[in-house]
Amino acid sequence: DVKVTQSSRYLVKRTGEKVFLECVQDMDHENMFWYRQDPGLGLRLIYFSYDVKMKEKGDIPEGYSVSREKKERFSLILESASTNQTSMYLCASSIGGEGNQPQHFGDGTRLSIL
Amino acid sequence: GQNIDQPTEMTATEGAIVQINCTYQTSGFNGLFWYQQHAGEAPTFLSYNVLDGLEEKGRFSSFLSRSKGYSYLLLKELQMKDSASYLCACKGGSYIPTFGRGTSLIVHP
């Protein structure tokens, strides 16, 4: 079974702090994704990566950056946290290519910015 | 860009059948996924359609009509544990899936 592990289930930070959310997958997947999930808005893509050191902006990248130094690890960085970044953050991975491979999600990190 | 539309909430009775619809508008099409997400948990994969027609997997089936930009998820013999959000996700020309806002299904005894 694919395992996607997010480092924290719950996190509380203060406005202006630099925040790191970590995600690790154990199935050698090429693709990794970061989403945020808000009530009424669904899953919105922040960034994704299709290979080590490669990253692409999603639909809402402002205020975020990412790092993928190793294939199994994809980090989301909030450069200077703001209250509107309070949300549930979900990491996902999938096999690369153009086929029918589904995404496998971590359990999420519920982040509160005070 | 892509636009995915699905109902916000549906209710149904245990033992019944429910159909959750999803319409999409994409530039290019490379498949449609359905995921289930229980409250506080990760979304989990249910089905994938890329060709027109019905895919059946036990109590769950998924249908696709590419010409109509339409899919549905059919849940039969509903159980209380089927209460969850159901997410429709469409792969357009970029091969990156875009998610709808999800349909919250409430199953009553």
Side-chain angles (χ1 to χ4, degrees):
Chain A
D1 262 1
V2 177
K3 186 71 175 172
V4 179
T5 303
Q6 293 184 230
S7 53
S8 307
R9 286 301 302 270
Y10 301 93
L11 205 54
V12 180
K13 296 290 182 181
R14 296 207 173 274
T15 305
E17 279 192 73
K18 190 168 186 175
V19 181
F20 294 84
L21 302 184
E22 306 287 349
C23 175
V24 176
Q25 50 94 5
D26 66 359
M27 283 301 289
D28 204 36
H29 283 174
E30 289 79 11
N31 298 335
M32 295 189 76
F33 307 82
W34 274 107
Y35 293 90
R36 62 178 283 175
Q37 186 173 34
D38 300 288
L41 297 178
L43 281 167
R44 293 182 291 165
L45 182 64
I46 304 171
Y47 268 96
F48 66 96
S49 168
Y50 53 88
D51 202 351
V52 175
K53 296 195 185 295
M54 306 302 289
K55 60 185 179 184
E56 296 284 343
K57 292 180 180 178
D59 300 316
I60 51 165
E62 296 79 18
Y64 302 94
S65 62
V66 289
S67 171
R68 193 160 180 206
E69 296 296 317
K70 293 185 178 181
K71 191 174 185 180
E72 68 270 19
R73 186 180 296 270
F74 192 35
S75 303
L76 180 69
I77 303 152
L78 286 66
E79 297 290 344
S80 177
S82 64
T83 54
N84 63 12
Q85 292 178 308
T86 291
S87 186
M88 170 67 86
Y89 289 86
L90 287 164
C91 174
S93 72
S94 70
I95 295 172
E98 303 165 352
N100 63 347
Q101 300 303 322
Q103 292 169 296
H104 299 267
F105 287 85
D107 286 335
T109 297
R110 187 165 292 283
L111 176 64
S112 297
I113 307 296
L114 305 180
Chain B
Q2 298 185 84
N3 187 36
I4 318 288
D5 197 31
Q6 50 182 130
T8 303
E9 187 174 292
M10 299 182 71
T11 58
T13 306
E14 194 175 14
I17 299 172
V18 71
Q19 178 175 310
I20 303 174
N21 296 325
C22 173
T23 58
Y24 63 89
Q25 294 172 310
T26 64
S27 47
F29 178 77
N30 287 291
L32 189 139
F33 296 85
W34 284 96
Y35 291 84
Q36 180 190 59
Q37 185 180 24
H38 285 102
E41 296 183 13
T44 55
F45 170 70
L46 288 177
S47 68
Y48 172 79
N49 296 71
V50 69
L51 299 176
D52 289 352
L54 189 69
E55 295 276 346
E56 296 189 73
K57 267 189 193 180
R59 293 190 300 115
F60 292 8
S61 304
S62 57
F63 172 83
L64 176 68
S65 169
R66 287 173 298 174
S67 62
K68 295 181 180 176
Y70 168 69
S71 174
Y72 67 73
L73 182 69
L74 192 72
L75 291 75
K76 302 176 191 172
E77 301 168 19
L78 278 173
Q79 301 175 11
M80 298 298 290
K81 67 179 183 179
D82 297 329
S83 292
S85 279
Y86 291 87
L87 312 178
C88 171
C90 186
K91 269 191 182 181
S94 71
Y95 294 97
I96 302 299
T98 297
F99 283 81
R101 298 185 178 192
T103 299
S104 177
L105 174 66
I106 301 167
V107 180
H108 305 291

